[in-house]
């Protein structure tokens, strides 16, 4: 099996790049003195998580109970479900615990804390973290909010195991300056540690302080008071992250293999068989310093093509590539029908989700790594 | 089974609305005197195609050979693969024909025509259409281009069955004015008929003139010279199509069922468990007259909520809903944690693709309809 014969479009993983990304993050976490709990939502692939674990990761983070169930079945039993739980899902969460999974759940409201206490069994109380909002971008209770203590008291008095606090500085995705990223990483740290200290001052247990996003994990100078870091997209990186400034283009380990199916020579267009169904509809780089359309093309070996061939438009199963320098190079000669190219994606989480498997290029051939979707 | 108990997020089909959309299009095609070949790429669901066929559709259109194989296995044997074929796929296409599938393939270049003639068996020649570019938006050879005749001659002389010409006026998606849509539909008609006449004048067969897109199909006044129409998204419609002006919001038959998991009351935000993994990353309405974010919220019965609650942002498994009138209504009281809502999507093709099944609300309960993805 080789990239010149498998069906296209296909999601290709450059395993050497991925291993380099895994080692870079794990080394950093070791140096900062925290445990690392990778977020498997990016890949939903046991073969990838196995390599993260082999490098030193402790436990995993998931975004759905489906991920928790799939990874538990694959031998992962220390799982943090990092989305505030909907009460109707508590029974399914309990089902995982009943089978021996050390599942940790998340809340950020009095309502949800009451639902957890109401639903739990006295034999096996839920392990719960409280989500803290450290940058205003999404969920979580403020570190100074009175509800933080109220939620902690409800859980603790109700018999749940209060594990600690969790935050995700998602605003890091909006930045592209190393100093601003370092400041946000420090803000993520200080505000989550502050929340933990308030809980402890109220006589509540708070052993865990869990933080993370790929940009802040790679920008923090120190993580005093933090016990663990979570992040996901670093394992593949993507064009969005190059614009944030935390990786280079040749760190990107995921690409979409595609075949040239036509040309519009007068316009300088190459038509390929990877459209948005393969790339995803993610146009995250549109609002960044460098807009890569739906992705940028490499040759079959993964080297960027001269002249920067960008996917300027995508229909469901058609992508349109054009040279960003606008030169109408002789496309039909350079890239005849049947030519295979690899497109680096804007967002590895979204592009991966369009596929049911990765084709992992190991250097010694291609392995097929299953991935899954759904809830 | 009811929408108040199934796991969220889920893709819900309002079957009554879908049947109304199917009848509207089929009635129109009957009145215009053309056969109708629905594009099943929107739904990739046999249960939906069965209803389109029952209403009078003749054959189906597909965007991948995977669709062709799945639908052939489900009893569909008249299949048009409407993406210009990559030469490496000709063997797989032949495999379908060998099993009895009347698969039609598409080319728009001399190179691909030569590859078809080279690959085909004399026992069972390929049935081929030539893609014609009638609006400059993507693929196809121009109706006046000399290559049109050259491609026709290569196919015909090489023993292939030259079925005719095909076009797709994809620029209709950029319009929102009934007169402009009608003009584009007429342009799609006249230019494809012109291409057919040129082939016939050159002594080549051209029985089929196949056109289509949902907006032009619903805007054409007459289709003289056209033999068949293809389109797909009309079966569900979506917010994008309401902005184009070819449907109303209460024609939209697809929605994403979601559960409220949190609030940020000070900001007027409701956090739900449908993020971009459920809605897709499609932000097509961003550049239209009404930007619906990632979708607009309805109650469990499918009625729009007062104040227009729009998904203003989405992370992988989180959506943020906010009232577009900016009023900080008492969200926690109106939509407590656990509340279920339905989100109408920007783009039914992209949102459907995020799911492996539809939950079809028939009025008498919920049926599970399998859908598939992949290539």
């Amino acid at each position: 099996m080789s990239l010149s014969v498998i069906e296209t479009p296909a999601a290709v993983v450059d395993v050497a790049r991925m291993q380099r990304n895994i080692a870079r993050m794990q080394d950093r976490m070791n140096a900062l003195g925290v445990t690392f709990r990778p977020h498997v939502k990016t890949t939903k692939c046991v073969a990838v998580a196995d390599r993260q674990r082999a490098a030193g990761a402790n436990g995993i983070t998931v975004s759905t109970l489906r991920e928790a169930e799939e990874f538990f079945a694959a031998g992962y039993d220390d799982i943090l479900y990092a989305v505030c739980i909907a009460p109707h899902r508590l029974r399914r969460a309990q089902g995982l615990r009943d089978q021996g999974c050390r599942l940790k759940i998340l809340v950020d409201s009095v309502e949800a804390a009451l639902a957890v206490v109401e639903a739990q069994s006295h034999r096996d109380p839920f392990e719960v973290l409280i989500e803290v909002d450290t940058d205003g971008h999404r969920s979580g209770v403020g570190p100074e909010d009175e509800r933080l203590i109220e939620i902690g008291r409800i859980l603790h008095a109700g018999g749940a195991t209060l594990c600690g606090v969790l935050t995700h500085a998602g605003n890091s995705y909006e930045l592209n300056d190393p100093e601003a990223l370092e400041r946000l990483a420090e803000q993520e740290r200080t505000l989550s540690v502050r929340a933990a200290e308030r809980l402890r001052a109220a006589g509540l247990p708070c052993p865990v302080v869990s933080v993370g996003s790929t940009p802040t994990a790679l920008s923090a100078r120190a993580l005093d008071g933090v016990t663990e870091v979570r992040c996901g997209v670093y394992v593949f990186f993507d064009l969005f992250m190059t614009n944030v400034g935390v990786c280079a283009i040749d760190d990107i380990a995921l690409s979409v293999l595609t075949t040239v199916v036509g040309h519009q020579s007068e316009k300088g267009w190459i038509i390929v068989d990877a459209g948005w169904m393969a790339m995803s509809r993610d146009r995250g780089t549109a609002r960044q310093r460098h807009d890569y359309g739906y992705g940028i093309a490499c040759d079959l070996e993964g080297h960027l093509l001269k002249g920067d061939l960008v996917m300027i438009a995508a229909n469901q199963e058609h992508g349109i590539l054009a040279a960003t320098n606008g030169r109408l190079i002789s496309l039909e000669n350079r890239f005849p029908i049947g030519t295979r190219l690899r497109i680096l994606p804007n967002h590895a989480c979204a592009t991966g989700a369009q596929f049911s498997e990765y084709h992992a290029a190991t250097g010694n051939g291609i392995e097929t790594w299953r991935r899954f979707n759904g809830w």
Side-chain angles (χ1 to χ4, degrees), chain A:
Chain A
M1 196 159 62
S2 90
L3 296 186
S4 57
V5 297
I6 62 175
E7 188 54 291
T8 57
V12 174
V13 175
D14 181 321
V15 176
R17 289 185 182 185
M18 182 188 80
Q19 290 290 168
R20 197 170 71 204
N21 298 338
I22 289 172
R24 175 183 169 201
M25 183 64 78
Q26 187 66 51
D27 288 352
R28 195 174 167 83
M29 296 300 106
N30 294 346
L32 288 165
V34 292
T35 63
F36 181 52
R37 182 186 287 278
H39 207 317
V40 298
K41 77 179 179 67
T42 299
T43 64
K44 305 199 186 201
C45 175
V46 172
V48 174
D50 286 350
R51 283 157 176 82
Q52 293 169 304
R53 182 166 62 178
N58 279 287
I60 58 171
T61 311
V62 300
S63 68
T64 63
L65 286 185
R66 171 77 187 274
E67 289 163 51
E69 289 160 354
E70 290 268 356
F71 279 91
F72 179 64
Y76 289 77
D77 67 354
D78 180 1
I79 300 177
L80 167 56
Y81 172 41
V83 177
C84 285
I85 195 151
H88 77 268
R89 271 195 271 273
L90 284 164
R91 186 186 299 194
R92 192 170 160 196
Q94 184 64 53
L96 270 165
R97 293 189 61 84
D98 291 346
Q99 296 171 66
C101 179
R102 291 176 294 146
L103 181 74
K104 290 140 193 71
I105 60 174
L106 188 67
V107 301
D108 75 347
S109 67
V110 167
E111 276 175 277
L114 289 168
V116 167
V117 165
E118 169 93 11
Q120 77 179 343
S121 79
H122 295 292
R123 185 176 40 78
D124 175 33
F126 281 113
E127 294 173 69
V128 191
L129 288 93
I130 304 173
E131 184 168 9
V132 177
D133 182 6
T134 57
D135 68 352
H137 87 285
R138 187 173 73 195
S139 315
V141 61
E144 305 295 342
D145 195 313
E146 271 318 299
R147 286 173 293 187
L148 173 68
I149 308 301
E150 189 182 355
I151 293 166
R153 288 205 172 114
I154 290 167
L155 292 169
H156 188 60
T161 302
L162 183 54
C163 297
V165 293
L166 173 149
T167 196
H168 165 60
N171 272 354
S172 60
Y173 280 53
E174 308 302 320
L175 305 176
N176 61 18
D177 168 59
E179 287 175 19
L181 282 164
E182 192 183 318
R183 278 196 302 275
L184 184 58
E186 179 62 7
Q187 175 182 318
E188 185 182 36
R189 183 192 75 78
T190 54
L191 295 185
S192 55
V193 169
R194 167 67 183 155
E197 286 168 351
R198 285 190 64 225
L199 285 167
R200 291 170 191 145
L204 295 164
C206 187
V208 173
V209 178
S210 177
V211 307
S213 75
T214 286
T216 52
L218 292 170
S219 304
R221 286 249 180 143
L223 286 172
D224 301 346
V226 168
T227 65
E228 79 172 14
V229 170
R230 314 171 324 279
C231 61
V233 77
Y234 81 96
V235 73
F236 285 165
F237 284 124
D238 51 32
L239 293 168
F240 191 97
M241 285 293 145
T242 68
N243 276 327
V244 173
V246 293
C247 69
I249 282 196
D250 66 6
D251 292 325
I252 300 174
L254 179 68
S255 60
V256 173
L257 182 71
T258 188
T259 303
V260 174
V261 297
H263 305 91
Q264 294 288 12
S265 299
E266 300 77 6
K267 296 172 180 163
W269 289 358
I270 303 171
I271 315 289
V272 295
D273 71 353
W276 60 252
M277 186 63 88
M279 301 308 302
S280 91
R281 271 294 201 192
D282 199 296
R283 286 282 292 109
T285 61
R287 56 189 169 79
Q288 290 185 306
R289 54 181 155 188
H290 194 125
D291 182 352
Y292 289 102
Y294 283 89
I296 187 165
C298 299
D299 63 20
L300 205 50
E301 285 68 48
H303 305 301
L304 276 186
L305 292 164
K306 281 183 188 162
D308 283 6
L309 216 53
V310 164
M311 190 179 288
I312 59 167
N315 295 148
Q316 187 159 333
E317 299 292 349
H318 296 81
I320 300 178
L321 301 180
T324 52
N325 61 14
R327 281 191 302 155
L328 300 183
I329 41 182
S330 175
L331 297 172
E332 283 164 283
N333 295 331
R334 272 186 75 197
F335 305 104
I337 287 177
T339 303
R340 288 175 171 234
L341 300 170
R342 286 164 67 179
I343 315 292
L344 302 178
N346 283 327
H347 187 178
C349 307
T351 301
Q354 303 300 106
F355 293 86
S356 59
E357 61 192 15
Y358 296 115
H359 285 86
T362 62
N364 294 317
I366 310 292
E367 294 176 7
T368 304
W369 291 352
R370 174 181 174 263
R371 58 158 291 144
F372 61 89
N373 282 315
W375 290 272

